[in-house]
Amino acid sequence: MTAPIVLLVNGAPARVTVSADTPLLWVLRQKLGLPGTKFGCGIAACGVCTVHLDGVPVRSCVTPVSATTGKAITTIEGISGPVAEAVQSSWSTLDVPQCGYCQSGQVMSAVALLQANAAPSDADIDRAMKGNLCRCGTYPRIRAAIHRAADTLPSLRQVEP
């Protein structure tokens, strides 16, 4: 059974008519024309489909659209602000992508990490990025890019008294 659902995607309202259990991924890609969020595994194991739901990274392939009503959905197309800009710049400067397929999910997870922790350790990065698979194995460049982005955001660091 389908029903109209109103979503807030990248800061704008969007109305779709789908089943409540339709995965958010398919609503974003097929109904709203936002192809930056990729399909990888369909079981939340690869992280390719990562989006932010009220600022928290979630796997859109297993998130029913009904669980997103009343929450802000941010996709790779809508990610913005100083943290996102620092991550995107670091990704480019360090040539992180190889094939690029996983990169939207990687960037979304990295942005969420740096918004929560402006000075992550390697262990923090590993924990936050766990589940974001890169078939090309660019993990060292991903970690370096996250550290580089963090280093460019000193204003976000908390100053100890």
Side-chain angles (χ1 to χ4, degrees), residues 78-89 111 115 153 156:
I79 199 79
S80 62
V83 174
E85 290 168 13
V87 168
Q88 291 167 337
S89 174
V111 168
Q115 287 174 333
L153 295 167
L156 297 179

Side-chain angles (χ1 to χ4, degrees), residues 83 85-96 114 118 120 125 140-154 157:
V83 174
E85 290 168 13
V87 168
Q88 291 167 337
S89 174
S90 295
W91 245 245
S92 178
T93 299
L94 297 179
D95 293 322
V96 171
L114 291 176
I125 293 170
R141 293 195 310 241
I142 290 167
R143 182 186 284 167
I146 292 170
H147 280 301
R148 179 177 169 70
D151 290 345
T152 65
L153 295 167
R157 296 177 195 262

